[in-house]
Amino acid sequence: MQQIPQETIEKVLASTDIVRLIGAHLQLERMGAAFKAKCPFHHEKTPSFTVSPTRQTFHCFGCGKHGNAIGFIMEYESLSFPDAVRKLAAGANLSMMEVSDFPTHPETMPTPFHIRPLRPDEWDEVAALIHHSTNSWYRINLNREIFGPDPLACRVFPEIYEALDPGCCLVAEDATGKLVGSCFYHPRETHWSLGIMNAIPESRGAANALLREITRLADDAGLPLRLVSSACNLDSFSLYSKAGFVPVRIYQDMILSVPETGMDPASAPALISSVRPATMDDLPAIVALEEEISGIRREKDHRFFIENGQGVWTTLVIDGADGLDGFLTSIAHPGSRMLGPGVSRDTATALALLWSQLDRTHRGSTPVWLAPADATELVHTCYGWGAKNCELHLAQTRGGSQRHSGFIFPTFMPETA
Ligand SMILES: CC(C)(COP(=O)(O)OP(=O)(O)OC[C@H]1O[C@@H](n2cnc3c(N)ncnc32)[C@H](O)[C@@H]1OP(=O)(O)O)[C@@H](O)C(=O)NCCC(=O)NCCS
Ligand SMILES: [Zn+2]
């Protein structure tokens, strides 16, 4: 199907002043650099609908509707994308010749996407996007949801990721100015990792456009990309597989409801007395151990966890005869309760770290962790504690394979594999 050329869309947007356009329909009031009005898209008593002349966008803090002039007119007048472009072109006295030959078919989707870094004032919007796209995908495909009802719980992703890697979140905006996708990435010494990727169910191609840009950046840096993708989600597996990612490992996601009183002392692994909280002095040993066991080097992440500026991280280490035999971090946050990242030399040290994290950090809650699928003894001991499988994940890497020995507990914050 014929698509509206990007230049035409840009020309139409450049020739339209969104304040004038919306001001013709709504009573706009100046508020500092922006304008305010009662939202036309949901019922409200006090105005939460804003128009920004500098960005040429509108945003409603009440219902979350957001977009540029094309998006406004589509929503306000229930027009298809081509009809909205045509209407604005007419209003701006652009030659109708230029826009008359688009099909009127509403399926002519507003592509391509504009890929740009996330702005600091868009965290709530990106949280809502992550919440909506993830819960929609799981509801439609697996008849369940991942996140609770509050979209703002997903602010954990922009908050933590932007503290760790400022500027490393890309968003995809469609031609109506709406955010339709987001993806976080983490440049490190040995590799880049790809954080959570989301695209709203109504968009096609946004995830691909984001991935293309991040693979281009990683290729320019000459480093491999790594991620952990859900094996229950073929859409994401295929997205990465098509882009050249190869599956290298399988993980079993396990959850356990930890009693308020802690883990049953009778189940305590032999080595728990060698487990202790990490300090900054452990940093070099942690970094070296992870590189030895999983082949990746990333001091920044471990420094960030031990500094714990957010008050949500706990890193435990286990001492062996010649230095550290393992470490395991965990996060306790309303939006994410997860053990990892961590590595350890063998089953006994891995179990001592897992049990200690569950007992010390997660009493009265139900955290998740990813155990190597082939770690039979470890997995069966976890079953014995009452753990259940809830998902499978695949480590997928692009450009360079990964050597590993020992146990790896990956995580999504930031992603490792
Ligand atoms: C996973 C997700 C980002 C994919 O978004 P999307 O809109 O389907 O992605 P795109 O349309 O940009 O690209 C998907 C690609 O995979 C392809 N694909 C999907 N299923 C496929 C299959 N079964 N076999 C082969 N290819 C397949 C598509 O054809 C497309 O490739 P193409 O452009 O070469 O045709 C989206 O569904 C989402 O946000 N899900 C919820 C959150 C989530 O699970 N995120 C991923 C893990 S963090
Ligand atoms: Zn609204």
Side-chain angles (χ1 to χ4, degrees), residues 25-282:
H25 301 279
L26 309 180
Q27 191 75 40
L28 287 178
E29 244 179 81
R30 190 172 252 292
M31 282 273 298
F35 292 85
K36 258 194 164 183
K38 281 195 198 158
C39 179
F41 307 125
H42 84 282
H43 181 74
E44 62 177 4
K45 292 206 177 74
T46 50
S48 44
F49 179 91
T50 60
V51 183
S52 162
T54 40
R55 297 222 180 102
Q56 289 290 306
T57 55
F58 70 91
H59 180 76
C60 175
F61 290 94
C63 65
K65 288 241 167 14
H66 176 97
N68 56 22
I70 302 175
F72 179 80
I73 231 55
M74 280 174 74
E75 194 76 39
Y76 195 77
E77 300 194 6
S78 304
L79 293 181
S80 68
F81 178 72
D83 284 345
V85 176
R86 215 178 263 124
K87 172 144 192 173
L88 292 181
N93 287 327
L94 288 181
S95 148
M96 281 309 284
M97 281 296 289
E98 285 186 64
V99 285
S100 59
D101 54 346
F102 326 135
T104 337
H105 206 290
E107 276 172 26
T108 312
M109 281 308 290
T111 49
F113 302 96
H114 176 48
I115 306 292
R116 60 163 174 84
L118 175 72
R119 288 190 298 252
D121 62 342
E122 292 176 319
W123 288 11
D124 285 353
E125 226 177 312
V126 111
L129 184 136
I130 294 170
H131 188 266
H132 169 62
S133 75
T134 308
N135 275 356
S136 306
W137 194 92
Y138 279 85
R139 203 169 45 242
I140 295 164
N141 295 281
L142 299 174
N143 199 25
R144 63 187 171 94
E145 295 189 342
I146 296 275
F147 299 117
D150 183 10
L152 288 186
C154 290
R155 259 185 77 102
V156 65
F157 299 108
E159 265 169 25
I160 290 184
Y161 285 150
E162 287 286 310
L164 187 57
D165 292 300
C168 294
C169 172
L170 295 182
V171 293
E173 206 177 68
D174 74 7
T176 72
K178 187 170 155 186
L179 287 196
V180 293
S182 64
C183 186
F184 299 85
Y185 61 94
H186 312 281
R188 294 294 180 267
E189 293 96 311
T190 47
H191 66 288
W192 284 26
S193 69
L194 230 154
I196 84 166
M197 162 81 86
N198 288 87
I200 61 165
E202 302 78 23
S203 94
R204 288 241 57 90
N208 240 328
L210 286 161
L211 186 59
R212 255 198 314 275
E213 180 60 11
I214 295 172
T215 49
R216 190 185 65 76
L217 293 169
D219 287 349
D220 285 353
L223 289 172
L225 270 167
R226 301 192 190 293
L227 58 86
V228 196
S229 73
S230 159
C232 302
N233 183 339
L234 255 191
D235 288 341
S236 94
F237 175 82
S238 303
L239 168 73
Y240 300 124
S241 177
K242 276 191 163 172
F245 285 78
V246 179
V248 291
R249 283 199 114 184
I250 306 178
Y251 293 95
Q252 308 196 15
D253 296 28
M254 306 191 95
I255 48 168
L256 177 69
S257 169
V258 184
E260 291 282 357
T261 49
M263 297 289 283
D264 178 2
S267 70
L271 292 178
I272 57 162
S273 57
S274 304
V275 176
R276 60 175 175 82
T279 70
M280 217 32 109
D281 293 342
D282 295 312

Side-chain angles (χ1 to χ4, degrees), residues 376-390:
T376 320
E377 189 187 340
L378 178 123
V379 165
H380 280 267
T381 307
C382 294
Y383 288 145
W385 298 342
K388 289 196 165 69
N389 292 115
C390 60

